[in-house]
Amino acid sequence: EAGVAQSPRYKIIEKRQSVAFWCNPISGHATLYWYQQILGQGPKLLIQFQNNGVVDDSQLPKDRFSAERLKGVDSTLKIQPAKLEDSAVYLCASSSGGASTDTQYFGPGTRLTVL
Amino acid sequence: DQQVKQNSPSLSVQEGRISILNCDYTNSMFDYFLWYKKYPAEGPTFLISISSIKDKNEDGRFTVFLNKSAKHLSLHIVPSQPGDSAVYFCAAKKYGNKLVFGAGTILRVKS
């Protein structure tokens, strides 16, 4: 079974530029998550999708971050414009459902550096 | 507001000995607790979990203990192996599957 795929793996941009990340979840997984992991901290949930609907985006900085999950499969996360404090690893995860006991499977992440 | 805290940034253990990683939480609404393991340049991988109705769960060399009155959980690895060297994240779930992570503990197992 293929795992969660993410691209690119690394990205370096200058502040005020735009950037987009892509995620392909495990086949058949209805729930998709985007996390931000700042160095020295644990991952923080940015947004959760159930199929192509948003379940939780309470911690997504909506003035600059946006995410979509078209057709309930792949997802993109965009930052426009980027700030220095956006430097982090962006992790995508998926699970089969939304129950408490559903295991979340993580992709390798995209390391973003904002200069 | 750190709802899940891992107060030890790092831990060093000799191969074959027990590793004990600790985690404290503040939110009594959490109903499910997990440990994830992360190697460099990889995403976190699920290790073991425990429901709030239990106080112990065991899977091979890994055991998680939950003390609800103290809002504390711990992960025991016995015996520790060099391949266990990684960052270990404690995480907790509220109803609705929102995971809240601690900052992680770097475990180094010396051979």
Side-chain angles (χ1 to χ4, degrees):
Chain A
E1 178 181 82
V4 176
Q6 290 188 247
S7 68
R9 293 295 310 275
Y10 304 91
K11 189 75 176 177
I12 300 174
I13 62 173
E14 296 192 349
K15 60 183 179 183
R16 292 187 288 273
Q17 285 188 322
S18 302
V19 65
F21 313 127
W22 173 82
C23 172
N24 180 244
I26 292 173
S27 178
H29 278 192
T31 309
L32 185 147
Y33 315 79
W34 282 102
Y35 288 87
Q36 179 193 59
Q37 186 183 6
I38 293 171
L39 187 65
Q41 300 180 19
K44 181 184 81 172
L45 180 69
L46 292 177
I47 189 167
Q48 175 184 340
F49 291 95
Q50 182 81 17
N51 297 308
N52 58 352
V54 175
V55 174
D56 186 342
D57 63 356
S58 57
Q59 299 189 100
L60 186 74
K62 298 181 187 63
D63 57 333
R64 298 184 301 107
F65 286 63
S66 63
E68 60 182 7
R69 190 182 184 197
L70 299 177
K71 302 180 182 178
V73 181
D74 292 4
S75 177
T76 56
L77 176 69
K78 297 179 182 177
I79 307 175
Q80 181 179 11
K83 292 185 176 181
L84 296 176
E85 59 261 35
D86 298 332
S87 293
V89 175
Y90 291 85
L91 294 161
C92 179
S94 69
S95 67
S96 57
S100 273
T101 55
D102 287 344
T103 299
Q104 293 186 23
Y105 297 88
F106 284 82
T110 296
R111 180 176 295 278
L112 173 68
T113 302
V114 182
L115 303 175
Chain B
D1 176 23
Q2 273 191 295
Q3 299 185 68
V4 178
K5 297 180 184 179
Q6 293 177 257
N7 293 319
S8 298
S10 64
L11 175 67
S12 185
V13 172
Q14 198 67 36
E15 180 180 7
R17 305 295 291 269
I18 184 171
S19 295
I20 300 176
L21 296 99
N22 294 303
C23 177
D24 297 296
Y25 62 95
T26 57
N27 192 331
S28 57
M29 296 298 292
F30 289 141
D31 60 2
Y32 204 66
F33 303 87
L34 307 92
W35 286 93
Y36 277 81
K37 175 180 178 179
K38 185 182 183 305
Y39 292 119
E42 294 183 13
T45 56
F46 170 74
L47 190 58
I48 192 169
S49 63
I50 187 167
S51 165
S52 60
I53 63 173
K54 295 186 176 180
D55 54 17
K56 178 183 175 181
N57 189 26
E58 192 171 353
D59 184 2
R61 296 186 297 114
F62 303 91
T63 303
V64 57
F65 295 91
L66 175 62
N67 182 335
K68 288 188 294 293
S69 60
K71 293 191 176 67
H72 177 84
L73 66 156
S74 61
L75 174 68
H76 292 209
I77 307 173
V78 183
S80 300
Q81 299 173 354
D84 296 329
S85 297
V87 180
Y88 288 79
F89 290 101
C90 171
K93 289 184 178 182
K94 298 176 183 180
Y95 175 79
N97 211 38
K98 181 175 180 175
L99 264 180
V100 180
F101 284 85
T105 296
I106 301 169
L107 174 64
R108 180 177 168 233
V109 180
K110 298 177 288 185
S111 55

